[in-house]
Amino acid sequence: MSEAVFDPKMLEALVCPMTQDTLVYDAEKQELVSKKGKVAFPIRNGIPVMLMDEARALE
């Protein structure tokens, strides 16, 4: 059974919950990055986890 893959078309509907700004898909790290908010949200089993508690702070 293969792992679910994130569909980049979802970026059209998703925004950063903190800034309401657009997100960038990082396929290598399996994250959605908010450049304005300086956070990255993990993608697990093809599903973005859009919770601030799960977000990784960017430098």
Side-chain angles (χ1 to χ4, degrees), residues 18-48:
M18 182 172 63
T19 66
Q20 305 304 310
D21 204 21
T22 58
L23 299 164
V24 177
Y25 175 46
D26 184 334
E28 184 178 314
K29 293 183 180 175
Q30 284 298 292
E31 294 178 328
L32 295 180
V33 177
S34 171
K35 292 183 179 181
K36 189 174 183 180
K38 297 183 180 174
V39 293
F41 298 93
I43 299 172
R44 297 189 185 124
N45 297 319
I47 301 169

Side-chain angles (χ1 to χ4, degrees), residues 3-4 9-11 13 16 23 32 35 41-42 45 48 53 59:
E3 185 175 317
K9 288 183 183 179
M10 289 179 69
L11 286 174
C16 174
L23 299 164
L32 295 180
K35 292 183 179 181
F41 298 93
N45 297 319
D53 289 346
E59 296 179 10

